[in-house]
Amino acid sequence: MKPYPRRLTSFVPQSLRSKIILLACGVSLVTSLALGALLVLRTTSLSRDMAVENVAHEAQLVALEFKRTYDEMINDAFVVSRTPPIQGMLRSAANNQIDPLDGSTTDQWRQRLEDIFVSMMRERTTYTQMRYIGLDNKGRELVRVNRASNGWERVTESRLQAKSEEVYFQKALTLARGEAYFSNVTYNREFGTLDSDLVPTLRAIVPIFDSKGKIFGMVVINTDYSAMLRERFDVIQLKRNIIVSNESGDYMEQHADGSVTAFQYNLEGSGERAQLLAALRPKREQHASTWLLNTENDLIYSARLPISQRLDDSHLIISIRVPHSELMTGVLRIRNEGALLALLLIGLSLGGAAWTSTRLTAPLLAMTTSIRQARLSGGVPALAIERADEIGELAGAFQGLAQDLKGAEARVRAIFDNMLDGIFSTNEEGMIQDFSPSSERIFGASHEDMTGRNIGLLMPESILTDYEPFLSSDQKSSPGSVVGVTRESEGRRLDGSTFPMEISLSKVDAGGQIMFIGIVRDITERKQMETLKSEFVSTVNHELRTPLTSIQASLGILQKRLRGKVGPKEERLLDISLLSTERLGRLVNDILDVEKIAAGKMEFYPEVCDMKGLVTDIVERHQSLAEKYGVTFQLKADTPETYSIVDPSRFNQALVNLLSNAAKFSPKGEAVMIEITEQANDRIQISVSDKGPGIPTSFRDKIFQRFAQADGSATRMAGGSGLGLNITKSIVESLGGEITYDSVEGHGATFRLNFPTCTSSTKQGDADGKRPEQDTIC
């Protein structure tokens, strides 16, 4: 049987010493990696910048060297155009083939020009032809010398050709004095057919003008383009990958080993090399003299060398390729050196951390051992409080904490032992762990009798059912959190007798251990006082209602009979007395309603009502209430008939309370807005808005409490018992609705009643006050 794999946590260092060593190792590793990465990145950037700068310099030098070749061809053509034979042939042609200046014939001048051509071609080894072409006879050649395998070929007059159809001839005719033209590189053509040697040929053309500025001929120099480039590569002797291409895409390449490939014509669109050349050539709208290209393997720097700016934008592109591996040579060396340095730093850090951590943790280990021994023996641990470092401060703080804990434990024990309310604690299964002396007195059971026994012995079965969610282990609570509830119920003493009690039970997660804390109060006396209070209030209210009714009726009769028969002062006294009895009657009714609600004895008779009609009727019947306070009630009910299940009488009581409050607090002449609207969630809303002083912010959390009144002058002046909103809220919630409000202090308040809607086919309720059954969902 294979052994179980060791837990991953076994590899995690637990001691402070191991953590210090690991931290030092991690810091060294991270620092080394960060410095190494920074160094590599910086070196890579510097190496690349230096390489680009170096290659740019080399590209410029190479470009200048190739430019020199083109300049030599143009200079040679200009030199030839200014030699005496050119002008002598012009003069002799105009004077019956005899030069009037020295008597030389045209043939003599022709031979002298051939000698100049031969002399110049002997110096320029790449020249393959030199020609003097006239404009007459379709651009017939006048003098021509070819390079031959065995020397020089002076072409006879009978073999001279007409060149007016050639592109370079046509281009030369557009040149001005002092301008020159380079043709495209093509194979040489003789008498309209390709030369069998297939030599790529570049032509330099310089026009010749007479004294009147009229062109009468041109000097054309043909050079072996491939040989010319090879000659330049030999002169440069730069061991780099160099590509020389022209505006047509013709190119020749030298490798880093010095070997030179054969000349290639433009192969755009076919092959990897053609794609590279296309990438090297800038777009026509871009006129950059230099640019940089990064490929997968190489860094390529290109320089643009203008040849002729006037015609066809002739130029060369000199591109130097440097492999990325060559750029990274220094970077790799620095990376390796950095790795060795990082290993050295980690080793030194481990050694230093081990020595330092041992020195630092030795006093802590000694203190830990002493504390463990003191815990077992009950003695006082030997703490290094005499040290002047952080360990000494820790020892002193620990000693002070221990003393504070002892004092706190004594205070808690004193509170626990002397509280009037009973306190107990249980574990997660409800087994009692602690039982205070006051609990012993309340339940008639000793600590020894109850420890380890279930708390269910002290409460009826119904209590256990009610508290099941709080005693279950699956209730979620975070460490240190408290989840609890307070209820009134019956307690059970150990002898079986019961008593009314108030119990607060809290669930506490104490560091992963679930425990329950209960506080029990015997409320026998309070219940007796509540009973006496209820009886007193009921008796007083009933005793007050009968005489109040008689007084109110008598005062009403007197007011009617004595109206106009007594003085104004006596009439005012009668009015005040009648209003006071009415107000006192309303207060008695409110108190009775509050007591009914508190005792759950208020009766409701719900039925399906058209809320629009019900609200409209209530508002119309209480217009006198608005007139009493000098305001108006404005009803806005744009909704169709909407039904809800309410008790019309109780709903009337709740809405009138809101109307009364709005009328009392509204300034005279203002309007109280009552609006009925349908909500999106199958509910109907009745809102009452006034423009009074609003509800103070400090009073809003008490607005629905009994006898609650805002402490403002407007409230005091309006009067009221402070029971209306409490009664309204109780009625609305008992009918299945809810009441909300919002207010801006100084700008009035709006109260909203929301009730679920239903259809008119809903069955009526029972006579016992239950909500009716429904055929449809309300």
Side-chain angles (χ1 to χ4, degrees), residues 410-477:
R411 289 193 295 273
V412 171
R413 176 54 60 182
I415 294 172
F416 186 77
D417 292 343
N418 294 282
M419 280 189 66
L420 295 177
D421 294 339
I423 301 177
F424 64 87
S425 65
T426 72
N427 60 14
E428 199 168 0
E429 287 74 30
M431 299 301 176
I432 297 175
Q433 295 174 326
D434 294 295
F435 206 67
S436 69
S438 52
S439 297
E440 296 178 350
R441 174 180 51 81
I442 292 174
F443 289 101
S446 65
H447 181 276
E448 292 75 13
D449 291 338
M450 297 308 302
T451 300
R453 303 181 72 177
N454 196 288
I455 192 65
L457 293 172
L458 305 179
M459 51 186 72
E461 293 299 327
S462 60
I463 297 298
L464 290 177
T465 303
D466 292 341
Y467 277 96
E468 184 63 26
F470 299 94
L471 295 176
S472 61
S473 59
D474 59 349
Q475 185 170 353
K476 296 180 180 179
S477 60

Coordinates of all heavy atoms in Angstrom, one line a residue, residues 410-477:
A410 N -11.1 39.4 36.2 CA -11.7 39.6 37.5 C -12.9 40.5 37.4 O -13.9 40.2 38.0 CB -10.7 40.2 38.4
R411 N -12.8 41.5 36.5 CA -14.0 42.4 36.4 C -15.1 41.7 35.7 O -16.3 41.8 36.1 CB -13.6 43.6 35.6 CG -12.6 44.6 36.3 CD -12.5 45.9 35.6 NE -11.9 45.8 34.3 CZ -10.5 45.8 34.1 NH1 -9.7 46.0 35.1 NH2 -10.0 45.7 32.9
V412 N -14.8 40.9 34.7 CA -15.9 40.2 34.0 C -16.5 39.2 34.9 O -17.8 39.0 34.9 CB -15.3 39.5 32.7 CG1 -16.4 38.5 32.1 CG2 -14.9 40.5 31.7
R413 N -15.7 38.5 35.7 CA -16.3 37.6 36.7 C -17.1 38.2 37.7 O -18.2 37.7 38.0 CB -15.1 36.8 37.3 CG -15.5 35.8 38.4 CD -16.5 34.8 37.9 NE -16.0 34.0 36.8 CZ -16.7 33.1 36.2 NH1 -18.0 32.9 36.5 NH2 -16.2 32.5 35.2
A414 N -16.7 39.5 38.1 CA -17.5 40.2 39.1 C -18.9 40.6 38.5 O -19.9 40.5 39.1 CB -16.8 41.4 39.6
I415 N -18.8 41.1 37.2 CA -20.1 41.4 36.5 C -21.0 40.2 36.3 O -22.2 40.2 36.6 CB -19.8 42.1 35.2 CG1 -19.1 43.4 35.4 CG2 -21.0 42.3 34.4 CD1 -18.5 44.1 34.1
F416 N -20.3 39.1 35.9 CA -21.0 37.9 35.6 C -21.7 37.3 36.9 O -22.9 36.8 36.9 CB -20.1 36.8 35.1 CG -20.7 35.5 34.6 CD1 -21.4 35.5 33.4 CD2 -20.6 34.4 35.4 CE1 -21.9 34.3 33.0 CE2 -21.2 33.2 35.0 CZ -21.9 33.2 33.8
D417 N -21.0 37.5 38.0 CA -21.6 36.9 39.3 C -22.6 37.8 39.9 O -23.4 37.3 40.8 CB -20.4 36.7 40.3 CG -19.5 35.5 39.8 OD1 -19.9 34.8 38.9 OD2 -18.3 35.5 40.3
N418 N -22.6 39.1 39.5 CA -23.5 40.0 40.3 C -24.6 40.7 39.4 O -25.3 41.6 39.9 CB -22.6 41.2 40.9 CG -21.7 40.6 42.0 OD1 -22.1 40.4 43.1 ND2 -20.4 40.4 41.6
M419 N -24.7 40.3 38.2 CA -25.8 40.8 37.4 C -27.2 40.3 37.9 O -27.3 39.1 38.3 CB -25.6 40.4 35.9 CG -24.7 41.3 35.2 SD -24.7 40.9 33.4 CE -26.3 41.5 32.9
L420 N -28.2 41.1 37.8 CA -29.5 40.7 38.1 C -30.1 39.8 37.1 O -30.9 38.8 37.4 CB -30.4 41.9 38.3 CG -30.1 42.9 39.5 CD1 -31.0 44.1 39.5 CD2 -30.1 42.1 40.8
D421 N -29.8 40.0 35.8 CA -30.3 39.2 34.7 C -29.4 37.9 34.7 O -28.2 37.9 34.9 CB -30.2 39.9 33.4 CG -31.2 41.0 33.3 OD1 -32.1 41.0 34.1 OD2 -30.9 41.9 32.4
G422 N -30.1 36.8 34.4 CA -29.3 35.5 34.3 C -28.5 35.4 33.0 O -29.0 35.9 31.9
I423 N -27.3 34.9 33.1 CA -26.5 34.7 31.9 C -26.0 33.3 31.8 O -25.6 32.7 32.8 CB -25.2 35.6 32.0 CG1 -25.6 37.1 32.1 CG2 -24.3 35.4 30.7 CD1 -24.4 38.0 32.2
F424 N -26.1 32.7 30.6 CA -25.6 31.4 30.4 C -25.0 31.3 29.0 O -25.2 32.1 28.2 CB -26.7 30.3 30.6 CG -27.8 30.5 29.5 CD1 -27.7 29.8 28.3 CD2 -28.9 31.2 29.8 CE1 -28.7 29.9 27.3 CE2 -29.9 31.3 28.8 CZ -29.8 30.7 27.6
S425 N -24.1 30.3 28.8 CA -23.5 30.1 27.5 C -23.6 28.6 27.2 O -23.6 27.8 28.1 CB -22.1 30.5 27.4 OG -21.3 29.8 28.3
T426 N -23.8 28.3 25.9 CA -23.8 26.9 25.5 C -22.9 26.7 24.3 O -22.5 27.6 23.7 CB -25.3 26.5 25.1 OG1 -25.6 27.1 23.8 CG2 -26.3 26.9 26.1
N427 N -22.6 25.4 24.0 CA -21.9 25.1 22.8 C -22.8 25.0 21.6 O -24.0 25.3 21.7 CB -21.0 23.8 23.0 CG -21.9 22.6 23.3 OD1 -23.1 22.7 23.1 ND2 -21.3 21.5 23.7
E428 N -22.3 24.5 20.5 CA -23.1 24.5 19.3 C -24.2 23.6 19.4 O -25.3 23.7 18.7 CB -22.2 24.1 18.1 CG -22.7 24.5 16.8 CD -21.7 24.3 15.7 OE1 -20.5 23.9 16.0 OE2 -22.0 24.6 14.5
E429 N -24.1 22.5 20.3 CA -25.2 21.6 20.4 C -26.2 22.0 21.5 O -27.2 21.3 21.8 CB -24.7 20.2 20.8 CG -24.0 19.5 19.6 CD -22.6 20.1 19.3 OE1 -22.0 20.6 20.3 OE2 -22.2 20.1 18.2
G430 N -26.0 23.2 22.1 CA -27.0 23.6 23.2 C -26.6 23.1 24.5 O -27.4 23.3 25.5
M431 N -25.4 22.5 24.7 CA -25.0 22.1 26.1 C -24.5 23.2 26.9 O -23.6 24.0 26.4 CB -24.0 21.0 26.0 CG -24.5 19.7 25.2 SD -26.0 19.1 26.1 CE -26.4 17.7 24.9
I432 N -25.0 23.4 28.1 CA -24.6 24.6 29.0 C -23.1 24.4 29.4 O -22.7 23.4 29.9 CB -25.5 24.6 30.2 CG1 -27.0 24.9 29.7 CG2 -25.1 25.7 31.1 CD1 -28.0 24.9 30.9
Q433 N -22.4 25.6 29.2 CA -21.0 25.7 29.6 C -20.9 26.6 30.9 O -20.1 26.2 31.8 CB -20.2 26.2 28.5 CG -20.1 25.2 27.3 CD -19.4 25.8 26.1 OE1 -19.4 27.0 25.9 NE2 -18.7 25.0 25.3
D434 N -21.5 27.7 30.8 CA -21.5 28.7 32.0 C -22.9 29.0 32.4 O -23.8 29.0 31.6 CB -20.7 29.9 31.6 CG -19.3 29.7 31.2 OD1 -18.5 29.3 32.1 OD2 -18.9 29.9 30.1
F435 N -23.0 29.2 33.8 CA -24.3 29.4 34.4 C -24.1 30.4 35.5 O -23.5 30.0 36.6 CB -24.9 28.1 34.8 CG -26.4 28.1 34.9 CD1 -27.2 28.1 33.7 CD2 -27.1 28.0 36.1 CE1 -28.5 28.1 33.8 CE2 -28.5 27.9 36.2 CZ -29.2 28.0 35.0
S436 N -24.6 31.6 35.4 CA -24.3 32.7 36.4 C -25.1 32.4 37.7 O -26.1 31.8 37.6 CB -24.6 34.0 35.8 OG -25.9 34.2 35.6
P437 N -24.6 33.0 38.8 CA -25.4 32.9 40.0 C -26.9 33.5 39.9 O -27.8 32.9 40.5 CB -24.6 33.8 41.0 CG -23.2 33.7 40.5 CD -23.3 33.7 39.0
S438 N -27.0 34.6 39.1 CA -28.4 35.1 38.9 C -29.2 34.1 38.1 O -30.5 34.0 38.3 CB -28.3 36.4 38.2 OG -27.6 36.3 37.0
S439 N -28.6 33.3 37.2 CA -29.4 32.2 36.5 C -29.8 31.1 37.5 O -30.9 30.6 37.4 CB -28.5 31.7 35.4 OG -28.2 32.6 34.4
E440 N -28.9 30.9 38.4 CA -29.3 29.9 39.5 C -30.5 30.3 40.2 O -31.4 29.5 40.5 CB -28.1 29.7 40.4 CG -26.8 29.1 39.7 CD -25.7 28.9 40.7 OE1 -25.8 29.5 41.8 OE2 -24.7 28.3 40.4
R441 N -30.5 31.6 40.6 CA -31.7 32.1 41.3 C -33.0 32.1 40.5 O -34.0 31.7 41.0 CB -31.4 33.6 41.8 CG -32.6 34.3 42.5 CD -32.2 35.7 42.9 NE -31.6 36.4 41.8 CZ -32.3 37.0 40.8 NH1 -33.6 36.9 40.8 NH2 -31.7 37.7 39.9
I442 N -32.9 32.5 39.2 CA -34.1 32.6 38.3 C -34.6 31.2 38.0 O -35.8 31.0 38.1 CB -33.7 33.4 37.0 CG1 -33.4 34.8 37.3 CG2 -34.8 33.2 36.0 CD1 -32.9 35.6 36.1
F443 N -33.7 30.3 37.7 CA -34.2 28.9 37.3 C -34.3 27.9 38.5 O -34.7 26.8 38.3 CB -33.3 28.4 36.2 CG -33.5 29.1 34.9 CD1 -32.6 30.1 34.4 CD2 -34.6 28.8 34.1 CE1 -32.8 30.7 33.2 CE2 -34.8 29.5 32.9 CZ -33.9 30.4 32.4
G444 N -33.8 28.3 39.6 CA -33.8 27.4 40.8 C -32.9 26.2 40.5 O -33.3 25.1 40.9
A445 N -31.7 26.4 39.9 CA -30.8 25.3 39.6 C -29.4 25.8 39.8 O -29.1 27.0 39.5 CB -31.0 24.8 38.2
S446 N -28.5 24.9 40.3 CA -27.2 25.3 40.6 C -26.3 25.2 39.3 O -26.7 24.5 38.3 CB -26.6 24.5 41.7 OG -26.5 23.1 41.3
H447 N -25.1 25.8 39.3 CA -24.2 25.7 38.2 C -23.8 24.2 38.0 O -23.7 23.7 36.9 CB -23.0 26.5 38.5 CG -21.9 26.5 37.4 ND1 -21.0 25.5 37.3 CD2 -21.7 27.4 36.4 CE1 -20.2 25.8 36.3 NE2 -20.6 26.9 35.7
E448 N -23.6 23.5 39.1 CA -23.2 22.1 39.0 C -24.3 21.2 38.4 O -24.0 20.3 37.6 CB -22.8 21.5 40.4 CG -21.5 22.1 40.9 CD -21.7 23.5 41.5 OE1 -22.9 24.0 41.6 OE2 -20.7 24.2 41.7
D449 N -25.5 21.6 38.7 CA -26.6 20.8 38.2 C -26.8 21.0 36.7 O -27.2 20.1 35.9 CB -28.0 21.2 38.9 CG -28.0 20.8 40.3 OD1 -27.2 19.8 40.7 OD2 -28.7 21.4 41.1
M450 N -26.5 22.2 36.2 CA -26.8 22.5 34.8 C -25.6 22.4 33.8 O -25.8 22.3 32.6 CB -27.4 24.0 34.7 CG -28.7 24.2 35.4 SD -29.9 23.0 35.0 CE -30.1 23.3 33.2
T451 N -24.4 22.4 34.3 CA -23.3 22.3 33.4 C -23.3 21.0 32.7 O -23.4 19.9 33.3 CB -22.0 22.4 34.2 OG1 -21.9 23.7 34.9 CG2 -20.8 22.3 33.3
G452 N -23.2 21.1 31.3 CA -23.2 19.9 30.5 C -24.5 19.4 30.1 O -24.7 18.4 29.4
R453 N -25.6 20.0 30.6 CA -27.0 19.6 30.3 C -27.5 20.5 29.2 O -27.1 21.7 29.0 CB -27.8 19.6 31.5 CG -27.3 18.7 32.6 CD -28.2 18.7 33.8 NE -29.4 18.0 33.6 CZ -30.3 17.7 34.6 NH1 -30.1 18.2 35.8 NH2 -31.4 17.1 34.3
N454 N -28.6 20.1 28.5 CA -29.1 20.8 27.4 C -30.0 22.0 27.9 O -30.7 21.8 28.9 CB -30.0 19.9 26.5 CG -30.2 20.5 25.1 OD1 -31.0 21.5 25.0 ND2 -29.6 20.0 24.1
I455 N -29.9 23.1 27.2 CA -30.6 24.3 27.6 C -32.1 24.1 27.4 O -32.9 24.8 28.0 CB -30.1 25.5 26.7 CG1 -30.7 26.8 27.3 CG2 -30.6 25.4 25.3 CD1 -30.1 27.1 28.6
G456 N -32.5 23.1 26.7 CA -34.0 22.8 26.5 C -34.7 22.5 27.8 O -35.9 22.5 27.9
L457 N -33.9 22.1 28.9 CA -34.5 21.8 30.2 C -35.1 23.1 30.8 O -36.0 23.0 31.7 CB -33.5 21.3 31.1 CG -32.9 19.9 30.8 CD1 -31.8 19.5 31.7 CD2 -34.1 18.8 30.9
L458 N -34.7 24.3 30.3 CA -35.1 25.5 31.0 C -36.1 26.3 30.2 O -36.5 27.4 30.5 CB -33.9 26.4 31.2 CG -32.7 25.8 32.0 CD1 -31.6 26.7 32.2 CD2 -33.2 25.3 33.4
M459 N -36.6 25.7 29.1 CA -37.5 26.4 28.2 C -38.5 25.4 27.6 O -38.1 24.3 27.3 CB -36.9 27.3 27.2 CG -35.8 26.6 26.3 SD -35.0 27.8 25.2 CE -33.9 28.7 26.4
P460 N -39.8 25.8 27.4 CA -40.7 24.9 26.8 C -40.3 24.5 25.4 O -39.5 25.1 24.8 CB -42.0 25.7 26.8 CG -41.8 26.8 27.8 CD -40.4 27.1 27.8
E461 N -41.0 23.4 24.9 CA -40.7 22.9 23.6 C -41.0 23.9 22.5 O -40.3 24.0 21.5 CB -41.6 21.7 23.3 CG -41.3 20.5 24.2 CD -39.8 20.0 24.0 OE1 -39.3 20.1 22.9 OE2 -39.2 19.5 25.0
S462 N -42.0 24.8 22.7 CA -42.2 25.8 21.7 C -41.1 26.8 21.5 O -40.7 27.3 20.4 CB -43.5 26.6 22.1 OG -43.3 27.3 23.4
I463 N -40.4 27.1 22.7 CA -39.2 27.9 22.6 C -38.1 27.3 21.8 O -37.4 27.9 21.0 CB -38.7 28.3 24.0 CG1 -39.8 29.1 24.7 CG2 -37.4 29.1 23.9 CD1 -40.1 30.4 24.1
L464 N -37.9 26.0 22.0 CA -36.9 25.3 21.2 C -37.2 25.3 19.8 O -36.3 25.5 18.9 CB -36.8 23.8 21.7 CG -36.3 23.6 23.1 CD1 -36.3 22.1 23.4 CD2 -34.8 24.1 23.2
T465 N -38.5 25.2 19.4 CA -38.8 25.3 18.0 C -38.5 26.7 17.4 O -38.0 26.8 16.3 CB -40.3 24.9 17.8 OG1 -40.5 23.7 18.3 CG2 -40.7 24.9 16.3
D466 N -38.9 27.7 18.2 CA -38.7 29.1 17.7 C -37.2 29.4 17.6 O -36.8 30.1 16.7 CB -39.3 30.1 18.7 CG -40.8 30.0 18.7 OD1 -41.3 29.5 17.7 OD2 -41.4 30.5 19.7
Y467 N -36.3 28.9 18.4 CA -34.9 29.2 18.4 C -34.1 28.2 17.6 O -32.9 28.3 17.6 CB -34.4 29.2 19.9 CG -34.6 30.5 20.5 CD1 -35.8 30.7 21.4 CD2 -33.8 31.6 20.3 CE1 -36.0 31.9 22.0 CE2 -34.1 32.8 20.9 CZ -35.2 33.0 21.8 OH -35.4 34.1 22.4
E468 N -34.7 27.3 16.9 CA -34.0 26.3 16.2 C -33.0 26.9 15.1 O -31.9 26.5 15.0 CB -34.9 25.3 15.5 CG -34.3 24.2 14.7 CD -33.5 23.3 15.6 OE1 -33.8 23.2 16.8 OE2 -32.5 22.7 15.2
P469 N -33.5 27.9 14.4 CA -32.5 28.5 13.4 C -31.3 29.1 14.0 O -30.2 29.1 13.5 CB -33.4 29.6 12.7 CG -34.8 29.2 12.9 CD -34.8 28.6 14.3
F470 N -31.4 29.6 15.3 CA -30.3 30.2 15.9 C -29.4 29.2 16.7 O -28.2 29.5 17.0 CB -30.7 31.3 16.9 CG -31.5 32.4 16.3 CD1 -32.9 32.3 16.2 CD2 -30.8 33.4 15.7 CE1 -33.6 33.3 15.6 CE2 -31.5 34.4 15.1 CZ -32.9 34.4 15.0
L471 N -29.9 28.0 16.9 CA -29.1 26.9 17.5 C -28.5 26.0 16.5 O -27.8 25.1 16.9 CB -30.0 26.1 18.5 CG -30.5 26.9 19.7 CD1 -31.4 26.1 20.6 CD2 -29.4 27.4 20.6
S472 N -28.9 26.2 15.2 CA -28.4 25.3 14.2 C -26.9 25.7 13.8 O -26.6 26.9 13.8 CB -29.3 25.3 13.0 OG -29.3 26.6 12.4
S473 N -26.1 24.7 13.4 CA -24.7 25.0 13.1 C -24.5 25.5 11.7 O -23.4 26.0 11.4 CB -23.9 23.7 13.2 OG -24.4 22.7 12.3
D474 N -25.6 25.5 10.9 CA -25.4 26.0 9.5 C -25.7 27.5 9.3 O -25.6 28.0 8.3 CB -26.3 25.2 8.6 CG -27.8 25.4 8.9 OD1 -28.0 25.9 10.0 OD2 -28.6 25.0 8.1
Q475 N -26.0 28.2 10.4 CA -26.2 29.6 10.3 C -24.9 30.3 10.1 O -23.9 30.0 10.9 CB -26.9 30.2 11.6 CG -27.2 31.7 11.4 CD -28.1 32.2 12.5 OE1 -28.6 31.4 13.3 NE2 -28.4 33.5 12.5
K476 N -24.8 31.1 9.1 CA -23.5 31.7 8.8 C -23.1 32.9 9.7 O -24.0 33.7 10.0 CB -23.5 32.2 7.3 CG -23.7 31.1 6.3 CD -23.7 31.6 4.9 CE -23.9 30.5 3.9 NZ -23.9 31.0 2.5
S477 N -21.9 32.9 10.2 CA -21.4 34.0 10.9 C -19.9 34.0 10.8 O -19.3 33.0 10.8 CB -21.8 33.9 12.4 OG -21.3 32.7 13.0

